[in-house]
Amino acid sequence: MGRSVYIVGNWKMYKTAHEATSYIEALLPKIEHCKENIYLAVPFTSIAPCAAFCKDSNLVIGAQNMSDAREGAFTGEIAGLMLKEAGAFFVILGHSERRHLFHETDAMIARKVVRALQDDIQPILCVGETLEERKQNRTEEVLRAQIEAVFSHVPKEDASRIVLAYEPVWAIGTGQQADEKTAAQAHAFCRSVLADLFGGKIASAISILYGGSVRPETAQFLLQEEEIDGVLVGGASLDPDSFARIIEVSQKN
Ligand code: PGA
């Protein structure tokens, strides 16, 4: 079916620029032979030094958030064009920590995704239900609402420029990874929502990643699922050895 596979690390607010470049120096030789899309979302201050370091490599550097505005009087915000100039190729948007800790709404996330597309930065859009929503059997309703809120603002021809990441909130940073069947089921549902919006052909071209407590030991089971086109890795991406092991596993599938 030929969808692109992505292995994405998300460092969150960890590592200074100095620590970041030492990490990359350690990681690059381990992944030289890897063919999949290997992405790393680093803190803002590490984007330029990491991108410079990765220039002739297969490691792609990106950001973890951006403003929905092109520019303006928005103290403390950062624009997509600034990230792009610094060397960011992609940006994670709608991460559950942004939604829950920083109160980002679906409408705001939709504007950010549209802006990222305009600024030519590839958006990785995160969606996912909380534990309470899962217990109340509302997972599908929540996923549909989050996906529709963003993709309904995206022209058909741009839809497959977005990578979707299913990240159940209860699995993020908890060690409680969704098992691969549960994840695959959610992915299939997300794809059916995309098919309702854009038709089956476009929906089947959009990569859907799983995120939430992915570990080197579990990545292979997730990646064996037809519906799972890659992983978004937080904690386990902070160590170059464990991130390299996850990348290695993706080569064998
Ligand atoms: P985790 O984080 O792998 O530490 O659970 C995933 C994420 O936040 O994207």
Side-chain angles (χ1 to χ4, degrees), residues 10 12 95 97 167 171-174 211-215 232-236:
N10 172 18
K12 313 192 179 191
H95 189 280
E97 285 150 19
E167 294 210 305
I172 297 177
T174 58
S213 296
V214 175
R215 294 285 173 271
L232 178 46
V233 188

Side-chain angles (χ1 to χ4, degrees), residues 65-246:
N65 183 31
M66 61 175 261
S67 169
D68 61 346
R70 187 179 181 279
E71 62 181 0
F74 303 109
T75 302
E77 287 294 286
I78 188 124
L81 291 172
M82 297 168 187
L83 297 174
K84 194 173 160 68
E85 186 187 58
F89 181 80
F90 72 95
V91 61
I92 295 175
L93 294 172
H95 189 280
S96 83
E97 285 150 19
R98 301 296 320 170
R99 289 178 190 265
H100 295 106
L101 302 174
F102 299 96
H103 313 293
E104 289 195 9
T105 61
D106 278 328
M108 199 185 287
I109 295 161
R111 290 196 301 273
K112 290 184 178 200
V113 169
V114 169
R115 173 66 55 196
L117 291 170
Q118 282 166 354
D119 291 346
D120 201 21
I121 300 191
Q122 182 180 29
I124 299 182
L125 169 67
C126 301
V127 296
E129 81 287 1
T130 62
L131 185 58
E132 204 181 328
E133 287 160 348
R134 177 160 280 268
K135 281 186 181 155
Q136 294 167 344
N137 258 327
R138 292 180 51 222
T139 299
E140 295 193 346
E141 174 198 331
V142 169
L143 293 177
R144 178 178 290 280
Q146 291 178 345
I147 293 170
E148 285 181 351
V150 172
F151 277 91
S152 60
H153 296 276
V154 173
K156 207 172 180 163
E157 60 276 14
D158 283 339
S160 59
R161 292 172 62 200
I162 301 174
V163 172
L164 191 60
Y166 169 61
E167 294 210 305
V169 180
W170 46 271
I172 297 177
T174 58
Q176 303 253 286
Q177 186 209 283
D179 65 71
E180 59 277 8
K181 297 291 170 208
T182 307
Q185 208 177 8
H187 285 218
F189 177 75
C190 291
R191 198 173 302 288
S192 76
V193 176
L194 293 169
D196 290 344
L197 287 165
F198 301 111
K201 192 157 176 254
I202 290 178
S204 69
I206 298 176
S207 296
I208 307 181
L209 321 183
Y210 168 81
S213 296
V214 175
R215 294 285 173 271
E217 302 74 31
T218 56
Q220 71 179 90
F221 301 107
L222 290 162
L223 292 164
Q224 272 160 13
E225 292 293 326
E226 168 85 19
E227 275 296 336
I228 301 181
D229 307 310
V231 284
L232 178 46
V233 188
S237 72
L238 289 170
D239 172 66
D241 289 326
S242 75
F243 193 43
R245 277 167 62 207
I246 294 174

